Amino acid sequence: MNTLRNIPAIDEILLDPRVKKIEESVSRELVVKKLREVVENTRTMLRNDNVSLSRLEITDMVVTKLQQELNRVTKPTLNKVINATGVVLHTNLGRALLAPPAVQYLTEIAGAYVNLEIDLDTGERGSRYVHVEDLLINITGAEAALVVNNNAAAVLLVLNTMANGRDVIVSRGQLVEIGGSFRIPEVMKASGARLVEVGTTNKTYLRDYEEAIDENTALLLTVHPSNYRILGFTSEVTLEELAELGRKTGLPVVQDLGSGVLCDLKEWGLPGEPTVKECIARGADVVTFSGDKLLGGPQAGIIVGKRQHVEAMKRNQLTRALRVDKLTIAALEATLVEYLAGKPNRTIPTLQMLTVDEDTLHDRAQRLCGILTESIGATSPVKTIQVVRTEDRVGGGAYPTHGLPGFAVEVTFEDGVLTNIARALRLGEPAILTRLRDNAMLFSVRTLLEGDYDLIATRMREIVKG
Ligand SMILES: *Cc1c(COP(=O)(O)O)cnc(C)c1O
């Protein structure tokens, strides 16, 4: 009990030179708030632990804890992570990395005034939506385009604009849920449209749509299954057939493409994904897709299609709530320019990682293997380090059944330490995410960046030797 009396008053601790020093870089308000918390915790601890400490010892302890706590709260929690998982579009790791030209452009734009909503020709108020529109029209062949916060927002806006209070017909095989709680039936409800399910999980025919159409029908929706495949005895109506039905009945056809590729990935062994341009050419009236999936740009929801529909969306009040900022527009414009320049797979990291050849991956794995062997080779608890084949993934809900043949460095350890080492790697700076397989740790090289190799070796040495 005596010890509790030795706890100095807040005002007294605030006069300590070390605390005065802290106040040079942290606001007094925060210092006082955190100091109160630390003192309160210290009081509880002293009461429970039954130790006796002097006034000086308690002050030292409080100041040290205050410093630690302020260090913790005054730095960002969003940090760089090294992705050694081999999943290119890892939603939990922020999906696409921006292309260097986009990063460069962002740094120029971010700290400057920009012509976001001014027509420099007339000096009058302009629209933020004009900026990416021409690029998207030129790339996709659509009449008009609009960009919002993400693809979930794009689908919401399309449905709310075109089908509020009316019916939207969707195949039962396409009622998808995308990670992070995007569910077609829920989005439909939020938009004010009514979902009319047709067909069955594995088979939907054109006549199912035909029979469901009545005077309440607003549009026909087709959704990319993205993260799943229905295999075996299956049937879905093609976009061409749906577009034909739409023309006959005067109903627009909307396609939620999800990933939305802008260039054909066939030649790199990723077949079967129609480009946005092909979807428009095949008769979709409106197509929505993400900016940060296979496109390889910033998070955004892109809507392209018939002018009359896109103009109606621009006038919708919801658009104001879903709008993108200048940073997104800048990053998206700079990314799209790379598509118009030809060869987007040379500069856009997502496409680079998806199209890199196996020889290059093997060379990189050899290099990482060499560096790791040198730094932690014959060190307990490491047992073996070697190059192995892996199956990497596209991620981001694209190509769910399609592995990418790749290479990794496999490290094995003595019994019982694997998960601890994986945890230490995650908690370090920078955090490193690996894949664990059969009691081994895999560093897949497909998703590593230039500087990552040495950082991995350094962190592994610290963990293994520490
Ligand atoms: C990913 C995806 C979405 C959601 O897109 P976000 O950009 O993550 O909001 C919607 N529909 C489909 C089919 C998708 O694949």
Side-chain angles (χ1 to χ4, degrees), residues 48 53 67 102 106 113 115 127 145 152-153 203 269 286 292 337 340 342 382 390 406:
N48 295 340
L53 295 174
Q67 271 160 344
L106 266 185
Y113 292 111
N115 60 332
S127 159
K203 289 219 171 205
V286 172
D292 57 351
V337 165
L340 282 183
V382 175
T390 54

Side-chain angles (χ1 to χ4, degrees), residues 129 132-134 136-137 140 142-162 253-258 276 280 285-291 295 300-314 316 318-319 322 332:
Y129 299 110
V132 278
E133 188 162 14
D134 275 346
L136 286 166
I137 288 171
T140 65
E143 289 176 10
L146 173 62
V147 177
V148 291
N149 183 53
N150 57 15
N151 189 36
V155 176
L156 179 71
L157 179 62
V158 169
L159 294 176
N160 180 262
T161 307
M162 298 174 69
V253 171
V254 173
Q255 185 174 32
D256 173 16
L257 250 193
V276 176
I280 293 292
D285 294 282
V286 172
V287 178
T288 71
F289 53 101
S290 291
L295 192 155
I302 301 171
I303 303 166
V304 297
K306 295 267 162 64
R307 179 162 300 284
Q308 108 197 54
H309 299 306
V310 174
E311 289 306 321
M313 290 172 216
K314 286 183 186 169
N316 188 332
L318 250 189
T319 303
L322 306 175
L332 188 57

Side-chain angles (χ1 to χ4, degrees), residues 249-402:
T249 52
L251 293 171
V253 171
V254 173
Q255 185 174 32
D256 173 16
L257 250 193
S259 231
V261 291
L262 296 185
C263 64
D264 201 342
L265 297 169
K266 243 197 324 277
E267 68 176 283
W268 293 286
L270 290 166
E273 282 299 321
T275 63
V276 176
K277 187 175 187 157
E278 284 164 349
C279 295
I280 293 292
R282 286 176 195 170
D285 294 282
V286 172
V287 178
T288 71
F289 53 101
S290 291
D292 57 351
K293 289 186 180 170
L294 287 170
L295 192 155
Q299 179 190 300
I302 301 171
I303 303 166
V304 297
K306 295 267 162 64
R307 179 162 300 284
Q308 108 197 54
H309 299 306
V310 174
E311 289 306 321
M313 290 172 216
K314 286 183 186 169
R315 289 191 301 268
N316 188 332
Q317 271 302 307
L318 250 189
T319 303
R320 177 64 179 77
L322 306 175
R323 79 179 187 188
V324 280
D325 74 329
K326 61 178 177 174
L327 300 180
T328 300
I329 293 173
L332 188 57
E333 280 199 304
T335 307
L336 293 173
V337 165
E338 294 303 304
Y339 280 93
L340 282 183
K343 309 281 171 272
N345 62 311
R346 292 212 185 133
T347 47
I348 297 178
T350 301
L351 298 180
Q352 283 175 329
M353 288 177 186
L354 292 177
T355 62
V356 59
D357 62 72
E358 284 189 46
D359 287 346
T360 307
L361 290 175
H362 189 254
D363 288 349
R364 287 190 204 158
Q366 294 273 357
R367 186 173 134 220
L368 180 61
C369 188
I371 301 176
L372 276 175
T373 306
E374 199 172 303
S375 63
I376 53 165
T379 317
S380 167
V382 175
K383 271 167 64 183
T384 61
I385 304 176
Q386 61 172 339
V387 172
V388 295
R389 284 195 168 272
T390 54
E391 189 161 277
D392 297 328
R393 304 226 71 94
V394 177
Y399 291 96
T401 54
H402 190 108

Side-chain angles (χ1 to χ4, degrees), residues 50-221:
N50 208 17
V51 281
S52 76
L53 295 174
S54 71
R55 199 174 189 76
L56 220 57
E57 285 169 323
I58 294 176
T59 307
D60 283 353
M61 196 169 77
V62 165
V63 170
T64 307
K65 280 206 187 131
L66 178 67
Q67 271 160 344
Q68 285 168 351
E69 181 59 13
L70 286 171
N71 281 343
R72 195 179 63 77
V73 300
T74 54
K75 66 171 198 235
T77 55
L78 184 66
N79 300 124
K80 177 192 154 89
V81 170
I82 292 178
N83 177 7
T85 65
V87 181
V88 177
L89 291 168
H90 203 304
T91 296
N92 300 351
L93 301 184
R95 291 195 186 155
L97 311 183
L98 291 181
V103 174
Q104 168 72 31
Y105 196 53
L106 266 185
T107 56
E108 283 169 30
I109 292 289
Y113 292 111
V114 293
N115 60 332
L116 182 63
E117 288 188 346
I118 186 165
D119 182 343
L120 294 175
D121 194 31
T122 60
E124 310 271 309
R125 180 171 178 152
S127 159
R128 69 179 60 216
Y129 299 110
V130 303
H131 296 285
V132 278
E133 188 162 14
D134 275 346
L135 283 165
L136 286 166
I137 288 171
N138 286 324
I139 292 170
T140 65
E143 289 176 10
L146 173 62
V147 177
V148 291
N149 183 53
N150 57 15
N151 189 36
V155 176
L156 179 71
L157 179 62
V158 169
L159 294 176
N160 180 262
T161 307
M162 298 174 69
N164 192 6
R166 297 171 66 204
D167 293 350
V168 172
I169 303 181
V170 193
S171 162
R172 285 207 165 84
Q174 299 178 349
L175 295 176
V176 45
E177 169 173 323
I178 309 287
S181 68
F182 174 92
R183 297 174 131 197
I184 286 292
E186 311 290 325
V187 175
M188 194 81 73
K189 208 180 287 167
S191 76
R194 272 189 310 269
L195 171 65
V196 176
E197 302 173 31
V198 295
T200 59
T201 306
N202 59 330
K203 289 219 171 205
T204 301
Y205 304 101
L206 196 62
R207 65 164 187 273
D208 295 323
Y209 289 90
E210 279 167 345
E211 283 163 11
I213 292 174
D214 62 21
E215 70 282 0
N216 292 322
T217 309
L219 58 89
L220 310 175
L221 176 67

